[in-house]
Amino acid sequence: MGKTIAEKIFESHLRDEPFSGTKVLDLDRVLCHEITTPVAIADLEWRGKDRVFDKDKIKAVIDHVTPSKDTKTAIQAKMLRDWARRHEITDFFDVGHNGVCHALFPEKGYIRPGFTVIMGDSHTCTHGAFGAFAAGVGTTDLEVGILKGVCAFREPATIRVNLTGALSAGVYAKDVILYVIGQLGVNGATDRVIEFAGPVVDAMTMESRMTLCNMAIEAGGTCGICMPDEVTVDYLWPFIQEDYADKAAAVADYKKWHSDADANYDQVLDFNVSSLEPQLTYGYKPDCVKAVAEMAGTPVDQIYIGTCTNGRIEDLREAAAVLKGRRIADTVRGIVSPATPKIFREALAEGIIQIFMDAGFCVTNPTCGACLGMSNGVLAEGEVCASTSNRNFNGRMGKGGMVHLMSPATAAATAVTGKITDARTLS
Amino acid sequence: MEKIFKGATIFLDRSDINTDEIIPAKYLTEVTKEALKPYLLEDLKLDGFDPKGEALKNARVVVSRQNFGCGSSREHAPWVFEVNDVHTIIAEGYARIFRQNMFNGGMLAIELPKSDIDALFELSAQGIVNIDVDVDGQKIVASVNGVDKSFAFEISEFDKALVKSGGWVEFADERY
Ligand code: SF4
């Protein structure tokens, strides 16, 4: 019997199996941010174990609320900053260099095929786009990861999602993943890895694959994962060129992680996406999904473009293509948050920031900001936000607020009219 | 702190209760568990539920439906239960990270089949239900008005070891 990519990664990283079905894995990356890590640091100090297993494999960023907005967030940032300095964490990103973790770490080349990655953040599943096993964990798992470089998981079962056909113009990875979550339901993939495959995934950029994998957790998935291929190698080339004679050699090497043809799957789902239309969420669960057309005309108060789901350069380009030469409606506030400084610079160089500002958007520094209702655009009770983020839970962007999740193109079109709008219908 | 797996039970009759509802993100700026205490389930969307009510204040056990604890990985969610002396949650299913976070902290996230959860909800119609969990015997006894009803549950060896050793840090530190 063949193996899935997740099984191959588990096998190659197995440190211990203390009980049948419990696999303790060696970790290649332990990623840290300032919301969930300080509590782990405080607990390690309290236990007299303020140590790190490997200062190179641990990466840290201040990203959720940055620059700090008040005394409490300043203390959180300081705790992470002091800890990173104390342990000489090689890669630590502070104000001026920081950005949203799941956009920043891949961009720096830290995530490679076959890696095991944990972070105290549920959207760590994003990094599976590189053919890594990447899982969000709580603070205790993070703490043990920092101290020992291991994490325990149950044997992974995999759901394979085959995406066939071809996306029509104006339909994006975000629409695909919203649709898939609508089909799977919010716990349809609990304790499962979601393997995204098929011609649609093969044709996707790394940015789009990250958008897909980012939302695996919204179906309960432990990790979203894509097979590493030419696209992966192109993206990683600046970081791996020393290791391989040429790109073909890297592609060939990465094939060792591909799921075998006779691998055993928990479920195999086929979706032909050729006739898929732009999607959005309604209600308070990410599986409440329908076509944008069905909600067209619903007024909104705020547009939020950014986050680890859709704050990458490709996303800003798609939104800017809609906004170019247009102004947003007087009734809405538009906020755009490029996910990293690199993306910000690219957007500046390409004139995208200019387009956003001309359209009437507020451009923020790279940060999670309004995504989790902590800063930079928190909603008031009863307000509605069209957002490119990944969660629409009650209260997520502010108590009593409503969030509709959608693609950057749909969000931009919605900004222009002030009402939910399918970008393809803008004249 | 010694964990206690018994007491008065509160019933939350809804699936997909997420961690933003259990402890809203605006409180994640706290760096001690104790500071979270007043905010348990503050944003829970459930008819008739009062986050400041007696039922929650007295509760030591929570019974709920499917996919409990979905959403954000924040361990603040198990912690806010912990500091409110709720160390046992019984549901039809959990989000993986929440379930692991409970066991990692030496607490119980017990899974029961739908029929048993339905039976527990039926008991709740008769009055205050007291639940007592026997971890070794893998048995839950629910009492209401002096009548007992018991339910068997499954727990992995690993999760049991975490509960016994007081959590994953202790377990891992001894072993790795
Ligand atoms: S952008 Fe939003 S979902 Fe992504 S890591 Fe930040 S808070 Fe979490």
Side-chain angles (χ1 to χ4, degrees):
Chain A
M1 179 56 81
K3 298 191 180 73
T4 62
I5 179 169
E7 286 166 345
K8 290 181 182 184
I9 296 173
F10 267 53
E11 210 175 77
S12 61
H13 289 74
L14 188 65
R15 163 84 74 96
D16 184 26
E17 197 166 353
F19 303 100
S20 116
T22 302
K23 311 264 190 187
V24 176
L25 305 184
D26 281 316
L27 299 171
D28 297 305
R29 291 288 177 259
V30 176
L31 309 177
C32 301
H33 66 53
E34 90 284 12
I35 300 288
T36 50
T37 317
V39 211
I41 296 168
D43 197 60
L44 285 170
E45 285 175 356
W46 176 78
R47 291 172 193 274
K49 297 182 196 299
D50 180 23
R51 301 188 297 271
V52 301
F53 87 108
D54 187 327
K55 69 183 182 54
D56 295 325
K57 290 183 179 171
I58 296 173
K59 314 283 180 189
V61 64
I62 297 171
D63 66 348
H64 275 57
V65 188
T66 183
S68 304
K69 63 171 177 157
D70 56 12
T71 304
K72 282 182 174 173
T73 54
I75 291 170
Q76 285 183 307
K78 182 169 165 33
M79 283 177 79
L80 190 71
R81 185 180 299 125
D82 289 350
W83 169 82
R85 286 184 185 154
R86 186 159 76 236
H87 296 287
E88 300 176 334
I89 301 297
T90 320
D91 300 299
F92 166 62
F93 301 91
D94 207 333
V95 175
H97 310 278
N98 55 358
V100 178
C101 49
H102 309 305
L104 184 76
F105 293 135
E107 177 186 286
K108 297 283 177 189
Y110 298 155
I111 314 299
R112 309 283 171 80
F115 269 19
T116 49
V117 182
I118 64 162
M119 182 171 197
D121 192 283
S122 61
H123 294 102
T124 309
C125 50
T126 313
H127 308 282
F130 291 83
F133 175 78
V137 297
T139 291
T140 303
D141 273 338
L142 178 70
E143 187 174 334
V144 171
I146 288 170
L147 186 62
K148 302 283 176 182
V150 297
C151 192
F153 291 97
R154 290 184 185 186
E155 188 89 50
T158 298
I159 299 176
R160 184 169 169 112
V161 172
N162 285 320
L163 299 170
T164 60
L167 290 173
S168 41
V171 184
Y172 302 95
K174 181 62 163 285
D175 302 303
V176 174
I177 190 61
L178 288 175
Y179 175 76
V180 170
I181 293 162
Q183 297 298 306
L184 279 169
V186 284
N187 61 345
T190 300
D191 279 317
R192 305 285 185 272
V193 170
I194 307 179
E195 190 176 297
F196 295 102
V200 175
V201 183
D202 295 343
M204 277 182 183
T205 60
M206 285 314 300
E207 282 82 357
S208 291
R209 292 178 191 183
M210 283 190 257
T211 302
L212 271 191
C213 291
N214 176 269
M215 292 193 72
I217 183 73
E218 306 320 329
T222 305
C223 181
I225 208 161
C226 302
M227 303 303 147
D229 60 4
E230 289 81 359
V231 178
T232 323
V233 168
D234 277 340
Y235 186 100
L236 289 176
W237 191 242
F239 312 105
I240 60 172
Q241 50 186 339
E242 310 277 287
D243 306 338
Y244 295 99
D246 53 23
K247 287 185 179 178
V251 173
D253 183 39
Y254 287 163
K255 283 228 164 79
K256 66 175 182 252
W257 298 113
H258 284 207
S259 294
D260 296 323
D262 58 344
N264 192 18
Y265 289 101
D266 178 65
Q267 276 180 73
V268 178
L269 302 170
D270 292 295
F271 297 112
N272 184 315
V273 297
S274 294
S275 55
L276 187 72
E277 290 184 42
Q279 306 282 302
L280 90 176
T281 63
Y282 61 94
Y284 296 113
K285 292 196 305 158
D287 62 352
C288 299
V289 174
K290 53 183 164 189
V292 171
E294 289 179 64
M295 281 196 75
T298 310
V300 305
D301 302 292
Q302 178 171 301
I303 320 297
Y304 191 61
I305 298 178
T307 81
C308 59
T309 320
N310 283 123
R312 299 187 181 79
I313 189 66
E314 178 179 294
D315 304 310
L316 303 190
R317 284 185 194 130
E318 283 155 11
V322 174
L323 292 171
K324 191 168 182 168
R326 294 190 166 106
R327 282 196 57 84
I328 65 175
D330 291 341
T331 49
V332 298
R333 292 115 42 193
I335 301 169
V336 59
S337 188
T340 68
K342 178 169 182 265
I343 295 164
F344 203 133
R345 280 174 197 278
E346 285 170 350
L348 267 175
E350 294 179 25
I352 289 171
I353 297 295
Q354 188 76 43
I355 293 172
F356 272 107
M357 293 190 78
D358 288 347
F361 264 77
C362 159
V363 184
T364 84
N365 64 304
T367 177
C368 297
C371 173
L372 77 167
M374 285 180 83
S375 64
N376 280 0
V378 180
L379 301 176
E381 196 131 10
E383 286 193 321
V384 179
C385 184
S387 175
T388 66
S389 55
N390 47 36
R391 282 208 170 121
N392 55 350
F393 296 155
N394 179 37
R396 172 75 180 183
M397 292 181 78
K399 197 179 176 80
M402 165 60 89
V403 181
H404 297 290
L405 307 175
M406 59 186 70
S407 74
T410 309
T414 300
V416 170
T417 63
K419 303 178 177 83
I420 286 171
T421 303
D422 183 335
R424 302 170 308 172
T425 64
L426 271 190
S427 48
Chain B
M1 184 175 71
E2 190 70 22
K3 304 292 190 292
I4 296 164
F5 305 121
K6 62 178 179 191
T9 304
I10 187 164
F11 289 77
L12 305 178
D13 196 0
R14 215 199 83 196
S15 287
D16 309 312
I17 291 176
N18 65 64
T19 54
D20 276 87
E21 294 177 286
I22 297 169
I23 182 78
K26 62 179 178 221
Y27 302 122
L28 303 187
T29 54
E30 301 295 347
V31 289
T32 66
K33 294 183 189 181
E34 212 47 49
L36 302 172
K37 193 168 176 173
Y39 313 121
L40 176 64
L41 291 165
E42 190 179 272
D43 274 354
L44 180 66
K45 234 185 157 49
L46 180 65
D47 283 345
F49 174 78
D50 175 9
K52 297 279 167 261
E54 286 299 303
L56 185 61
K57 200 187 305 145
N58 297 331
R60 296 294 169 265
V61 176
V62 166
V63 172
S64 190
R65 299 286 184 181
Q66 187 52 269
N67 199 28
F68 191 87
C70 59
S72 150
S73 64
R74 62 190 70 155
E75 200 157 320
H76 307 70
W79 292 334
V80 71
F81 281 115
E82 182 181 359
V83 295
N84 280 284
D85 300 320
V86 175
H87 302 161
T88 308
I89 296 179
I90 300 170
E92 207 184 312
Y94 298 89
R96 181 193 66 88
I97 303 174
F98 180 85
R99 184 193 61 216
Q100 196 60 47
N101 286 344
M102 287 290 287
F103 286 111
N104 279 350
M107 297 192 282
L108 286 173
I110 296 172
E111 223 168 286
L112 286 182
K114 182 172 189 314
S115 53
D116 286 352
I117 295 288
D118 286 343
L120 281 168
F121 271 94
E122 273 163 34
L123 290 182
S124 73
Q126 299 169 26
I128 306 257
V129 177
N130 267 283
I131 282 183
D132 195 340
V133 183
D134 170 2
V135 178
D136 285 314
Q138 299 189 191
K139 201 174 76 167
I140 291 163
V141 178
S143 325
V144 60
N145 305 328
V147 183
D148 288 354
K149 198 166 157 66
S150 78
F151 303 85
F153 66 90
E154 299 288 332
I155 177 171
S156 78
E157 288 305 310
F158 181 55
D159 291 341
K160 207 186 248 184
L162 292 179
V163 172
K164 294 275 164 202
S165 61
W168 172 227
V169 181
E170 289 80 356
F171 182 93
D173 202 41
E174 232 169 68
R175 213 168 152 113
Y176 305 108

